[in-house]
Amino acid sequence: MAMTNNFTSWGRPFTDAKMDMYGGDITQRYQLGSEHLQQHSDKFADAVQKTQQPIVTGTSVIGLKYKDGIMLAADNLASYGSLARFKDIQRLHSVGSHTIIGAAGDMSDFQHVQHQLESLVIDEYCHDDGHALGPAQIYEYMSTLMYHRRSQLNPLWNAFVVGGVDPKSGEPTLAYVDLLGTTYSAPTIGTGYASMIAIPLLRRLVEDRKEPPNEEEALDIIKTCMKVLFYRDARSLNKFQVAKITKEGAEISPSMSVETEWGFAEGIRGYGGQTQ
């Protein structure tokens, strides 16, 4: 586009206005159809809204590295505010064959991320070049996605734990990414309330050992942490799933529970029908 003497139009395409300073209809001069000037809008755009604040949310996700790979766990509760509303929600999602993500935070944003990841995996498969996305690549994509949405001041209200094992090298990946784009990796990870309650347990039971736990020991550690979270976190549920990722592949268990004891509650002031 040629520079004009009217500085207010510099950097602005002619199609922003029908007339320029020299007169004449630009649509006639450049023989542009009216469809190029008309701003098309979706008739349903007003009905589609982004998440402004979390409404239906999930609580903690925990993860640890063990001898053969990665183990994650998350309960099946999605709370509607303070109401324990949905009790059969799967917050562990398989991405490809060797990666699983666990989501805390808003469930609608989690569904959006699931769709994004499914599209990514399909696109990669369609290249048919013999390569597949591993856990390290999924983690990089998640960190970029979350930071991009944060930079647009339209964050995805989630915290994710990404766990997986590279099928070729056997290198395990356990990493964290949240709505601010904060990222880190560690042998043990917890989101939300688990970052305060379960992490000390995980560090003592996993990181303070000379040798990493085997699969059976790792599952016992997971169950211990989920029991403590159920006792302490008002937004948790004694119904959870455990994901195991090894070099052979990834699998998510059916829902399970742990034995709990609430007899001590009778002696707690304010419990049940007590008045004093």
Side-chain angles (χ1 to χ4, degrees), residues 28-274:
Q28 295 179 0
R29 180 184 304 177
Y30 292 96
Q31 297 181 349
L32 297 176
S34 60
E35 66 275 5
H36 290 81
L37 300 177
Q38 183 179 1
Q39 294 183 353
H40 295 280
S41 61
D42 188 345
K43 294 181 179 180
F44 300 101
D46 293 339
V48 178
Q49 297 181 358
K50 304 293 185 181
T51 302
Q52 301 302 314
Q53 63 182 18
I55 301 297
V56 178
T57 59
T59 182
S60 306
V61 180
I62 60 175
L64 61 86
K65 290 183 179 180
Y66 71 103
K67 184 177 180 180
D68 299 321
I70 302 293
M71 197 170 287
L72 307 178
D75 66 40
N76 297 117
L77 178 66
S79 300
Y80 182 74
S82 60
L83 174 66
R85 177 64 180 85
F86 305 101
K87 300 181 179 180
D88 197 24
I89 301 297
Q90 180 170 310
R91 296 191 293 117
L92 299 174
H93 177 66
S94 181
V95 184
S97 58
H98 288 79
T99 308
I100 288 177
I101 65 170
D106 188 79
M107 290 295 97
S108 63
D109 281 349
F110 176 41
Q111 290 173 339
H112 171 73
V113 171
Q114 286 178 288
H115 295 156
Q116 293 285 98
L117 290 172
E118 288 171 2
S119 297
L120 183 69
V121 171
I122 291 172
D123 288 343
E124 184 67 22
Y125 177 80
C126 290
H127 287 308
D128 196 22
D129 55 2
H131 294 277
L133 295 174
Q137 291 76 43
I138 296 297
Y139 171 54
E140 290 293 335
Y141 175 82
M142 291 291 295
S143 62
T144 303
L145 172 65
M146 299 298 282
Y147 186 78
H148 171 68
R149 288 291 296 266
R150 164 260 178 103
S151 299
Q152 290 183 322
L153 301 182
N154 182 25
L156 294 166
W157 294 83
N158 295 107
F160 293 103
V161 177
V162 182
V165 177
D166 189 283
K168 296 180 180 179
S169 66
E171 183 69 23
T173 297
L174 181 62
Y176 169 93
V177 57
D178 65 12
L179 77 165
L180 297 177
T182 305
T183 58
Y184 68 89
S185 59
T188 57
I189 285 179
T191 70
Y193 208 65
S195 65
M196 296 176 280
I197 298 297
I199 284 295
L201 285 172
L202 289 170
R203 287 176 176 168
R204 178 169 61 85
L205 297 173
V206 177
E207 297 185 34
D208 290 348
R209 302 166 61 110
K210 294 182 179 179
E211 296 291 333
N214 58 35
E215 181 178 332
E216 183 178 353
E217 292 171 332
L219 183 58
D220 288 340
I221 293 170
I222 289 286
K223 288 181 177 180
T224 298
C225 292
M226 297 305 290
K227 179 188 292 187
V228 171
L229 286 171
F230 179 57
Y231 278 139
R232 299 294 184 181
D233 188 356
R235 303 292 179 267
S236 65
L237 186 70
N238 190 16
K239 180 183 177 184
F240 59 91
Q241 292 176 282
V242 176
K244 180 182 69 173
I245 314 103
T246 64
K247 193 174 181 180
E248 284 70 38
E251 60 177 295
I252 300 174
S253 74
S255 297
M256 63 181 73
S257 61
V258 292
E259 292 186 7
T260 58
E261 172 58 54
W262 293 94
F264 63 87
E266 296 290 346
I268 297 177
R269 186 175 182 180
Y271 176 79
Q274 296 181 26

